Amino acid sequence: ANGSIDVPASVPCVAHEALLSAGVLRGDPLYRFRELEWAWAAREDWTFEASFALAVDGCGPSQGERVDCKLLDGRSVLRMEGVDTVASVWINGVGLGSTASAFVRHELSINAGVLRRGSNTLRVTLGSALRYARERSEAYPYEVPHTQYYHVWSEPSHRNFVRKPASDFGWDWGPSFVPTGLTGAMSLRAPQESTAELEGVAMSAGQPEGVPMAAEARDEAAVAQAKALGTEARKRRLEELYQETVAEYK
């Protein structure tokens, strides 16, 4: 990410693949101690950057239904099918958001005016998963035990503090490359008419004694009320159990 290495990349790919194709990394990745020789790549941040064009020939009345014209007409969405793992995303220098999980699809909102007619630039900076996991572990108020395999260079990896495949950190059957990159397709989408963005909404799941489990989406006030009712129900049930126990031993 400091610009000292600049190589082409064809997405989807991870940084190791691009570096290997460009000859920065050399040799068979599975040969002897290659994972140790390439450890520096896992400690670095990597930036993927691409340019794309929208509505180069304009958007007249007869072209209003074109996808790229719709994208310029208001808010839109950047869909990222796979990001491994910790990333910050910009379009035309405007931050769209960040990611911290390799296991889910990410959809980042793009405000009106960010995309422009003609050339646009997408930049994704991926941080070192090793550094991210270590920093989160150090900031946590107490130690969280996790499995470690001390035959690989990346331990202690604190892998339980990052949403990334555990096998990336190595084990007895595989090397520790801790790769980072864009592992899925990316696309720009115009919001559908049925799309709704909800603010101040949370999920509440509760299962008081004798009541089937249910999950409901409510506003913050309703969630707080539901939590309070759930607490009171549990208190009543505990009191009932206590009285039953006392009566049993009388």
Side-chain angles (χ1 to χ4, degrees):
N2 62 11
S4 60
I5 297 175
D6 189 356
V7 298
S10 180
V11 175
C13 80
V14 296
H16 285 74
E17 292 177 285
L19 295 170
L20 189 59
S21 297
V24 177
L25 300 178
R26 299 175 180 272
D28 184 346
L30 302 181
Y31 180 72
R32 289 177 63 82
F33 303 111
R34 197 75 74 196
E35 63 178 303
L36 186 57
E37 297 172 7
W38 293 1
W40 64 271
R43 296 189 179 103
E44 294 291 335
D45 298 342
W46 298 98
T47 296
F48 287 73
E49 186 170 299
S51 296
F52 59 94
L54 293 175
V56 176
D57 54 352
C59 291
S62 62
Q63 299 169 312
E65 294 302 313
R66 280 179 23 187
V67 173
D68 55 351
C69 291
K70 287 184 176 181
L71 291 172
L72 295 173
D73 195 36
R75 299 187 67 179
S76 52
V77 172
L78 173 66
R79 174 178 289 185
M80 309 177 78
E81 299 292 345
V83 183
D84 189 1
T85 296
V86 184
S88 297
V89 185
W90 293 268
I91 286 183
N92 296 332
V94 177
L96 304 186
S98 59
T99 72
S101 175
F103 302 125
V104 298
R105 172 196 296 159
H106 298 277
E107 292 191 347
L108 304 179
S109 295
I110 306 173
N111 290 330
V114 174
L115 294 174
R116 56 197 181 210
R117 178 182 170 185
S119 180
N120 294 265
T121 301
L122 169 66
R123 187 170 83 253
V124 182
T125 295
L126 296 119
S128 166
L130 282 171
R131 184 178 65 251
Y132 174 85
R134 184 186 70 249
E135 290 174 351
R136 285 178 62 86
S137 174
E138 292 173 350
Y140 211 63
Y142 53 86
E143 183 179 356
V144 180
H146 67 288
T147 303
Q148 298 186 46
Y149 186 67
Y150 288 101
H151 288 195
V152 295
W153 65 271
S154 54
E155 297 290 7
S157 63
H158 307 288
R159 67 185 76 190
N160 55 334
F161 278 89
V162 60
R163 297 292 295 156
K164 177 178 178 61
S167 57
D168 285 353
F169 297 89
W171 207 248
D172 57 347
W173 48 263
S176 175
F177 289 121
V178 200
T180 185
L182 301 175
T183 55
M186 292 184 291
S187 59
L188 289 170
R189 297 172 178 265
Q192 302 298 316
E193 292 183 359
S194 59
T195 300
E197 292 188 8
L198 304 178
E199 295 183 0
V201 173
M203 294 298 295
S204 175
Q207 192 176 14
E209 187 71 23
V211 179
M213 186 170 186
E216 299 180 338
R218 301 177 181 271
D219 62 27
E220 294 293 350
V223 169
Q225 182 181 12
K227 287 181 178 179
L229 290 174
T231 300
E232 291 303 317
R234 286 192 293 271
K235 286 181 178 179
R236 288 195 298 271
R237 181 53 182 160
L238 287 172
E239 179 63 25
E240 290 171 2
L241 290 172
Y242 172 75
Q243 295 299 338
E244 291 172 6
T245 302
V246 171
E248 182 180 345
Y249 285 95
K250 279 184 177 179

